[in-house]
Amino acid sequence: MMAVDISSADGALLVSLLRLLHIVASVIWVGAALLMTMYIEPMAAGSGAGFLRHLYRDTSLRRLVPLSALVTTVAGLLLYEMLGYSGALGNPTGLTLTAGASFGLLAFLHGLFAVWRPAGRYAGALRSAGADEAELTRMEDKIRRNGRVSMWLAMISLILMAGARYIGPILG
């Protein structure tokens, strides 16, 4: 375990900065996932593939989401270790935080391998001159499907972590 004295000014500042990074990055990550899943992708499906293709090819959204997910995950793991939550599995609040962290890690790993890496390949295929239309459509469907899974994993994580101090006592 990292030895951080959170009662010291330096320790409190470090924890506060990590919490700020964790919260802001998670708002960006989950917010972007919700926006894509609930609004942008359905709208793009109704208006043809051009909009979605432009979004992946010409904007930084496909880099923003993984970056915010990485910052969220690293800051969260550091906080989890520094604040000693791993030792709190014997109480309902610690167990709820651990469940939230587990869902967050699943969302990150699923997003990395099933959404973000394929989205990078998709963006590359869009930039190539000889992109096969059937293959592009297959890639879009796969990204969309897996994006929903990652979004729900991240939402469960967010709910558990944000509500741990309230959910824990209910369970306990």
Side-chain angles (χ1 to χ4, degrees), residues 37-145:
T37 302
M38 301 294 195
Y39 297 101
I40 293 175
E41 287 175 349
M43 188 271 311
S47 65
F51 176 81
L52 192 62
R53 291 177 183 182
H54 171 72
L55 186 69
Y56 276 95
R57 184 185 57 230
D58 302 326
T59 72
S60 62
L61 182 67
R62 65 184 169 79
R63 287 185 290 278
L64 174 70
V65 175
L67 178 62
S68 62
L70 179 64
V71 170
T72 300
T73 302
V74 170
L77 289 171
L78 289 171
L79 284 167
Y80 189 84
E81 181 65 27
M82 288 170 54
L83 298 176
Y85 290 126
S86 58
L89 291 177
N91 71 61
T93 300
L95 193 57
T96 305
L97 280 170
T98 301
S102 299
F103 275 98
L105 285 171
L106 285 172
F108 176 75
L109 292 171
H110 183 269
L112 176 64
F113 293 108
V115 181
W116 305 318
R117 289 176 91 187
R121 287 192 295 272
Y122 175 69
L126 288 173
R127 282 190 218 93
S128 73
D132 177 45
E133 188 62 34
E135 180 64 14
L136 289 174
T137 301
R138 188 192 66 72
M139 292 170 89
E140 290 164 2
D141 292 342
K142 185 176 181 180
I143 292 167
R144 188 175 297 119
R145 241 185 354 267

